[in-house]
Amino acid sequence: MQNVYLAIVLAPLFGAIVAGLFGRRIGRAGAHWVTILGVAISFLLSLIVLRHHVLEGAEPYNGSVYTWMVIEGIRMEVGFLVDNLTAIMIATVTFVSLMVHIYTIGYMHDDDGYQRFFSYIALFTFSMLMLVMANNFLQLFFGWEAVGLVSYLLIGFWFKRESAIFANLKAFLVNRVGDFGFLLGIAAVLMAFNSLDYKDVFAAAPLMAKMTVQILPGAEWSLMTVICILLFIGAMGKSAQVPLHVWLPDSMEGPTPISALIHAATMVTAGIFMVARMSPLFELSETALSFVLVIGSITALFMGFLGIVQNDIKRVVAYSTLSQLGYMTVALGVSAYSAAIFHLMTHAFFKALLFLGAGSVIIAMHHEQDIRKMGGLWKYMPITWFTFLLGTLALIGTPGFAGFYSKDSILEAVHYSHLAGSGFAYFAVMLGVFVTSFYSFRLYFVVFHGQERMDHHTQEHLHETPAVVTVPLILLAIPSVVIGAMTIEPMLFGDVFEGVIAVAPAHDVLEHVAGHFHGAMNFALHGVTGLPFVLVLAGFGSAFYLYMVKPELPGLIQRRFARLYDLMDRKYLFDEFYQSFFMRGGRNLGTALWKYADAGLIDGLMVNGAARLVGWVSSMVRHLQTGYLYTYAFAMIIGLLILLTWFVAR
């Protein structure tokens, strides 16, 4: 099977290279065909791998492909670890990527950078596949940095826009902060285990469970806690957790297809996958798990609040991604790793659907993204309207839809957790259900129903987008509805992740959830009577009343709570703080170092000062060179007198 695994990774890379280097020769059609074919091959082969490992129960594959170097017994190599977790991830990534590639033909049809864009998104897929298939920390870091690099290129794809350049620079810098922690975590693993191979590290981890390190004098820290927190800081950057979340909303500056790919299946899911893969390490530190839990719960609730005040259609969906990533992180924090991966998978489908649906609206509205200039679109765009509704119902956790099974599993898991911070986390994720329902239906009602607020010219030309856009919407809508019911039992309560994800018996919250699980149908029926569904209905009812029955009320509420609205509209001041403290502070520090250290000390005192000293000394000395004999005779007599005085004095 090694050749199959290689083909899965290399097929998108081949398409990216051909479209990138030979795009002008093969033309626009050649660029999209070669990249789509590459990703399609990767997807079909990933289905074979999924069947082989998940359905047929094949043993995990763990092998080296290429050894780069060996330094003092430490192997630097490219290798694949393909097990059930990997199989599910690569199938999800390649399917969503394939839909995005097809959709891009319609969305980027008139763009001058058509070939370049296809090259980038195929390269993005390759980078993510290298990450999830890695069997060692070196390759993991390669994939980690590669998705960061390509996201930088894609967010700033329209490089003539200042806002796009600012957004991709922001994403790059914020992720460098997280990646610094991630790199330190890998360095700590190498220091402690003298290996970068997952298998060696996981096998030796229990022996290191009680080992401590001294970071500050007199303070002993658990080695596992240090390693896990450092690794999770990397995940905070990639998966946009507070306070390293600020780059993700601005990533909307890139074209909509890449927004879908980043938010659904590639970059932001890397952190969630990484923590799940590292479960044998995280299970050895309750401190690290509590840290993950609290960060995730803060992100889930407070980023959801911000979705309420957004008026850009893509930004509403972007803040939804932030909130849902918080839910996944909460699941990781309570050791419900399977639930986190389950929600990652279901979320990939309905979030890609929502982003591509938003893109379809943007195309029809001639690239207008302000929802206040929309309304009543359901009459003009029936396919986009219906598929967007299905994605919304999945997102809010409507019983029977994919998002319900994964989200309610997380809620139940948090309920049974006894870790520090689990009480706050349960409150946050439960309130987040109402918030998610409210902002989701606010978006749905304002865009597709109510008064038509577009200009006359736009209204006259409104129509459904072409099949190359709507077919991916339909194909994504299907799993958004059915995939949860089909997979909940094997993924959460079966043996799919047995031997892949490690959970300590004291942390096994899903075992308690399994005791109340009696099939997907009963789970959905029970959900209809549960508190989460009541909160879903409350969010729906509130949005319907405010935006359909009394559309003048939101403006009155905004003016009544102007300070709170301003705080939320300014994103809790995170951006302003970072720009004033770090960006301006960094510039001021650089200016001070240049002015006082470089120009003043180095150039002024050491370089120019030494030159001035030599000049001053020479200006003094040259007065002694008069050219008159009596001057030199006088100097010799004075010198002789000084020497005689010194000898007499001795």
Side-chain angles (χ1 to χ4, degrees):
M1 289 287 287
Q2 188 183 69
N3 291 335
V4 173
Y5 306 142
L6 274 171
I8 289 173
V9 170
L10 295 179
L13 178 62
F14 175 78
I17 292 173
V18 172
L21 298 182
F22 308 103
R24 290 187 178 181
R25 293 186 181 181
I26 63 176
R28 297 162 75 90
H32 70 235
W33 275 114
V34 72
T35 51
I36 289 174
L37 184 61
V39 176
I41 291 171
S42 186
F43 170 61
L44 293 174
L45 292 178
S46 70
L47 292 182
I48 295 173
V49 172
L50 186 71
R51 186 191 66 183
H52 183 63
H53 286 278
V54 177
L55 301 181
E56 297 176 356
E59 289 294 315
Y61 172 86
N62 187 0
S64 173
V65 176
Y66 169 73
T67 300
W68 178 30
M69 66 176 73
V70 180
I71 302 176
E72 296 182 359
I74 301 169
R75 299 180 65 85
M76 311 285 185
E77 60 186 14
V78 175
F80 294 147
L81 171 58
V82 183
D83 51 22
N84 290 353
L85 175 59
T86 309
I88 290 169
M89 285 297 299
I90 61 176
T92 303
V93 169
T94 52
F95 176 72
V96 173
S97 178
L98 180 59
M99 295 300 102
V100 169
H101 275 69
I102 296 171
Y103 177 93
T104 299
I105 298 174
Y107 193 89
M108 302 293 289
H109 182 265
D110 298 319
D111 198 280
D112 293 336
Y114 191 84
Q115 293 96 316
R116 178 165 57 93
F117 189 81
F118 271 98
S119 175
Y120 286 171
I121 57 176
L123 187 61
F124 207 178
T125 306
F126 159 76
S127 302
M128 189 65 184
L129 291 171
M130 285 291 286
L131 188 155
V132 300
M133 294 178 71
N135 73 344
N136 62 85
F137 284 91
L138 179 66
Q139 185 177 325
L140 174 69
F141 188 70
F142 166 79
W144 195 267
E145 292 303 305
V147 294
L149 170 63
V150 184
S151 69
Y152 170 82
L153 296 173
L154 284 163
I155 293 169
F157 180 79
W158 287 320
F159 54 83
K160 293 182 180 179
R161 296 183 183 178
E162 288 189 15
S163 57
I165 296 302
F166 180 82
N168 75 344
L169 184 61
K170 185 177 182 180
F172 187 81
L173 293 176
V174 172
N175 273 278
R176 294 292 67 72
V177 176
D179 292 354
F180 180 66
F182 189 62
L183 188 59
L184 288 177
I186 294 175
V189 168
L190 181 59
M191 178 195 72
F193 297 95
N194 199 41
S195 176
L196 291 173
D197 189 89
Y198 291 167
K199 184 178 180 181
D200 297 339
V201 173
F202 294 163
L207 304 176
M208 301 281 191
K210 296 184 179 180
M211 192 175 193
T212 60
V213 291
Q214 194 176 82
I215 299 177
L216 298 174
E220 294 288 336
W221 286 62
S222 165
L223 174 65
M224 284 299 113
T225 297
V226 171
I227 289 174
C228 291
I229 289 179
L230 287 173
L231 292 175
F232 181 67
I233 289 173
M236 288 169 65
K238 279 288 181 290
S239 295
Q241 298 297 290
V242 172
L244 301 181
H245 66 284
V246 293
W247 69 270
L248 191 59
D250 285 9
S251 69
M252 298 301 97
E253 291 295 333
T256 298
I258 193 52
S259 300
L261 200 54
I262 288 177
H263 286 246
T266 53
M267 187 165 170
V268 297
T269 62
I272 306 301
F273 165 80
M274 184 273 293
V275 175
R277 176 62 81 194
M278 299 299 142
S279 60
L281 304 182
F282 278 83
E283 284 302 290
L284 301 175
S285 173
E286 288 197 356
T287 303
L289 289 173
S290 294
F291 180 72
V292 172
L293 177 61
V294 172
I295 292 294
S297 55
I298 292 172
T299 305
L301 179 60
F302 288 96
M303 293 303 105
F305 282 141
L306 296 188
I308 298 173
V309 300
Q310 301 302 311
N311 293 312
D312 184 305
I313 186 171
K314 286 171 65 177
R315 284 185 180 269
V316 178
V317 186
Y319 278 104
S320 166
T321 300
L322 280 168
S323 181
Q324 296 307 305
L325 288 168
Y327 275 88
M328 297 175 210
T329 304
V330 166
L332 297 172
V334 297
S335 298
Y337 305 100
S338 301
I341 296 298
F342 184 38
H343 195 49
L344 182 157
M345 180 191 69
T346 61
H347 175 264
F349 297 120
F350 61 73
K351 185 52 57 70
L353 171 61
L354 289 173
F355 263 113
L356 298 186
S360 180
V361 170
I362 292 169
I363 294 171
M365 292 291 297
H366 303 290
H367 293 276
E368 176 60 64
Q369 296 183 199
D370 192 334
I371 62 175
R372 293 170 295 186
K373 298 178 182 179
M374 301 177 188
L377 294 185
W378 73 274
K379 294 179 292 186
Y380 306 97
M381 309 177 69
I383 298 176
T384 301
W385 160 70
F386 186 63
T387 54
F388 198 93
L389 174 61
L390 294 178
T392 299
L393 293 173
L395 170 63
I396 65 173
T398 307
F401 285 74
F404 160 76
Y405 290 101
S406 55
K407 185 182 285 187
D408 267 42
S409 300
I410 293 173
L411 297 175
E412 291 291 324
V414 177
H415 176 68
Y416 287 110
S417 176
H418 299 289
L419 283 177
S422 58
F424 167 71
Y426 186 67
F427 167 78
V429 295
M430 195 61 77
L431 180 57
V433 173
F434 169 80
V435 174
T436 302
S437 179
F438 181 78
Y439 69 65
S440 298
F441 275 109
R442 169 184 176 262
L443 177 65
Y444 170 74
F445 288 135
V446 172
V447 172
F448 292 102
H449 294 278
Q451 181 183 354
E452 297 178 8
R453 297 174 295 278
M454 67 285 292
D455 60 66
H456 182 68
H457 174 75
T458 302
Q459 189 177 30
E460 280 188 335
H461 293 83
L462 269 175
H463 59 82
E464 185 61 88
T465 45
V468 74
V469 173
T470 55
V471 169
L473 296 181
I474 295 169
L475 294 178
L476 284 166
I478 295 169
S480 297
V481 177
V482 304
I483 196 70
M486 292 172 59
T487 58
I488 180 173
E489 188 165 1
M491 285 191 69
L492 294 192
F493 313 118
D495 59 356
V496 168
F497 295 121
E498 185 178 347
V500 177
I501 289 175
V503 180
H507 300 160
D508 195 357
V509 291
L510 288 178
E511 184 180 6
H512 297 284
V513 180
H516 301 280
F517 180 79
H518 303 289
M521 182 64 71
N522 287 329
F523 194 77
L525 292 174
H526 177 72
V528 173
T529 61
L531 177 59
F533 187 57
V534 173
L535 294 172
V536 165
L537 293 177
F540 166 81
S542 301
F544 183 81
Y545 182 76
L546 288 173
Y547 295 97
M548 296 296 290
V549 180
K550 295 285 185 180
E552 69 278 3
L553 272 182
L556 296 174
I557 295 172
Q558 177 182 332
R559 290 189 289 273
R560 177 68 179 84
F561 299 96
R563 290 187 178 181
L564 177 60
Y565 177 85
D566 183 62
L567 177 66
M568 295 172 67
D569 189 49
R570 294 164 68 182
K571 310 166 193 173
Y572 306 125
L573 307 181
F574 271 103
D575 282 345
E576 294 175 30
F577 172 72
Y578 288 161
Q579 289 180 39
S580 61
F581 185 79
F582 290 109
M583 194 172 78
R584 293 192 187 95
R587 277 207 306 250
N588 292 337
L589 177 62
T591 302
L593 289 173
W594 164 75
K595 186 175 181 180
Y596 298 107
D598 191 11
L601 178 62
I602 298 174
D603 287 343
L605 183 60
M606 297 174 65
V607 178
N608 297 330
R612 284 193 293 267
L613 178 62
V614 170
W616 178 80
V617 170
S618 64
S619 68
M620 294 297 103
V621 171
R622 74 167 172 261
H623 291 298
L624 301 177
Q625 303 294 328
T626 64
Y628 295 110
L629 185 61
Y630 63 82
T631 302
Y632 301 141
F634 179 74
M636 291 172 66
I637 292 169
I638 294 298
L640 183 60
L641 288 174
I642 291 172
L643 287 172
L644 288 172
T645 303
W646 183 69
F647 281 116
V648 171
R650 290 182 64 191

